[in-house]
């Protein structure tokens, strides 16, 4: 009798192997994609879920699957780690040299921004269930989504770039301004202060802050089920609503990415 394994779906092996440029077995599975009825659940599953090029491409591969489906749907993004939703840029990878599981360093800036641009124009509702710390790029991912839910009892939302000597790209600024009041972004960006889910709920950055992991996921999934929009018109609304953000990515980011010097 064959022993049943918990191996990931074949597409996950194929996509990660293709995008990493190295045998899949060298790397942990970075994301999981499940489906409950019309709701896709994308789970970040790489420990602290720090951002590098391989991580970007793994998420992009999952979005391929979502967009290849048909009919009304929604996407809920969360994480498996009990403490971290996403802890920002993979600084160890960025500071290293030579071959690394994080992939092509030079490609990261443009590919990360392209992924965020893809999320804000995704033709299905994107809902972020922030189950732990969301720092830096993790916070920007949450802002790129259409709606956010968060834990009230644990986890902080933070832009630590000011303390890491990492400049915000113009496109990143636009993503955050879409999701939160300018006065709150100004304070967070310049101070690097960690903000709780309760504070963000008061600012309407998150729809609701929940006291438990179970209630967070239940709230996010129930909200996802309220959407039965046709993809064509839903996507068109988002393209027109966020036209200025895409323009900023296309016209202001490139030269700054090419000359970007991190941790100066």
């Amino acid at each position: 009798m064959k022993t049943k394994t918990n191996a990931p779906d074949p597409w996950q092996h194929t996509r990660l192997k293709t995008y990493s440029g190295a045998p899949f077995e060298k790397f942990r599975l970075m994301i999981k994609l499940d489906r409950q009825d019309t709701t896709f659940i994308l789970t970040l599953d790489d420990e602290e879920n720090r951002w590098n090029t391989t991580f970007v491409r793994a998420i992009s591969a999952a979005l391929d699957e979502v967009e290849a489906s048909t009919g009304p749907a929604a996407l809920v993004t969360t994480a498996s780690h009990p403490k971290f939703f996403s802890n920002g840029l993979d600084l160890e990878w960025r500071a290293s040299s030579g071959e690394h599981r994080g992939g092509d360093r030079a490609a990261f800036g443009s590919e990360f921004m392209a992924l965020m641009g893809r999320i804000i124009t995704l033709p299905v509702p994107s809902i972020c269930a922030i189950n732990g710390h969301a720092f830096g790029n993790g916070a920007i991912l949450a802002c790129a989504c259409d709606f956010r839910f968060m834990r009230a009892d644990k986890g902080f939302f933070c832009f630590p770039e000011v303390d890491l000597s990492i400049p915000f790209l113009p496109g990143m600024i636009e993503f955050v301004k879409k999701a939160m009041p300018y006065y709150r972004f100004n304070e967070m960006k310049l101070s690097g202060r960690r903000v709780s889910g309760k504070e963000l709920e008061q600012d309407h950055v998150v729809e609701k802050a929940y006291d438990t992991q179970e209630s967070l996921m239940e709230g996010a999934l129930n909200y996802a089920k309220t959407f039965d929009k046709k993809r064509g018109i839903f996507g068109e609304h988002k393209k027109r609503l966020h036209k200025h953000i895409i323009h900023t990515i296309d016209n202001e980011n490139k030269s700054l990415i090419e000359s970007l010097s991190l941790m100066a």
Side-chain angles (χ1 to χ4, degrees):
M1 179 182 295
K2 292 184 178 180
T3 302
K4 185 177 180 180
T5 65
N6 292 321
D9 292 334
W11 74 264
Q12 292 178 307
H13 282 287
T14 301
R15 296 288 186 179
L16 285 178
K17 188 182 295 183
T18 299
Y19 285 120
S20 69
F24 171 85
E25 289 73 18
K26 288 186 178 181
F27 306 107
R28 293 188 300 271
L29 183 64
M30 289 184 163
I31 57 98
K32 296 177 182 177
L33 184 65
D34 302 297
R35 185 170 185 173
Q36 293 183 10
D37 299 320
T38 60
T39 301
F40 288 91
I41 304 170
L42 191 158
T43 304
L44 308 180
D45 193 31
D46 192 38
E47 298 294 331
E48 294 185 11
N49 298 312
R50 287 185 174 270
W51 288 82
N52 52 49
T53 304
T54 305
F55 194 60
V56 168
R57 292 173 181 179
I59 295 174
S60 182
L63 295 187
D64 288 345
E65 300 298 318
V66 174
E67 292 199 81
S69 66
T70 58
L75 173 66
V76 173
T77 300
T78 190
S80 60
H81 198 287
K83 183 178 179 180
F84 299 100
F85 171 72
S86 172
N87 206 22
L89 183 66
D90 186 345
L91 297 175
E92 183 275 326
W93 160 75
R94 194 66 182 81
S96 66
S97 59
E99 185 177 353
H100 193 287
R101 71 184 292 267
D104 185 352
R105 295 171 186 82
F108 176 75
S110 59
E111 291 195 22
F112 173 77
M113 293 307 302
L115 176 65
M116 296 301 105
R118 185 177 180 186
I119 290 172
I120 65 167
T121 55
L122 200 68
V124 301
S126 56
I127 299 163
C128 197
I130 308 166
N131 61 296
H133 296 315
F135 280 39
N137 296 78
I140 292 170
L141 167 63
C143 289
C145 291
D146 299 323
F147 307 99
R148 286 152 296 281
F149 295 84
M150 191 171 174
R151 291 283 292 271
D153 61 322
K154 65 187 299 185
F156 290 102
F157 203 92
C158 177
F159 300 110
E161 284 80 359
V162 68
D163 296 314
L164 298 174
S165 297
I166 299 176
F168 262 71
L169 292 170
M172 292 178 177
I173 293 172
E174 293 301 322
F175 285 128
V176 182
K177 286 166 60 179
K178 151 185 121 49
M180 66 171 55
Y182 187 79
Y183 73 86
R184 177 62 68 207
F185 179 37
N186 180 72
E187 184 247 347
M188 291 179 66
K189 184 177 185 292
L190 298 182
S191 71
R193 185 172 74 87
R194 303 178 179 190
V195 177
S196 70
K198 277 296 186 184
E199 285 185 85
L200 294 181
E201 182 181 40
Q202 293 169 1
D203 281 334
H204 303 286
V205 177
V206 301
E207 302 296 317
K208 186 173 178 61
Y210 292 92
D211 291 329
T212 67
Q213 175 66 16
E214 292 73 20
S215 59
L216 169 70
M217 289 307 298
E218 181 180 7
L221 291 171
N222 284 341
Y223 191 69
K225 292 175 183 176
T226 65
F227 287 92
D228 60 352
K229 311 303 181 187
K230 294 180 180 178
R231 295 192 186 200
I233 189 61
F234 195 82
E236 188 61 30
H237 271 291
K238 290 173 71 171
K239 287 178 182 178
R240 297 187 185 192
L241 184 63
H242 304 312
K243 181 180 179 180
H244 65 290
I245 301 179
I246 300 302
H247 180 271
T248 299
I249 294 173
D250 291 343
N251 294 278
E252 297 184 34
N253 275 359
K254 185 177 179 181
S255 61
L256 293 174
I257 289 173
E258 291 174 348
S259 62
L260 189 62
S261 175
L262 299 183
M263 296 166 284

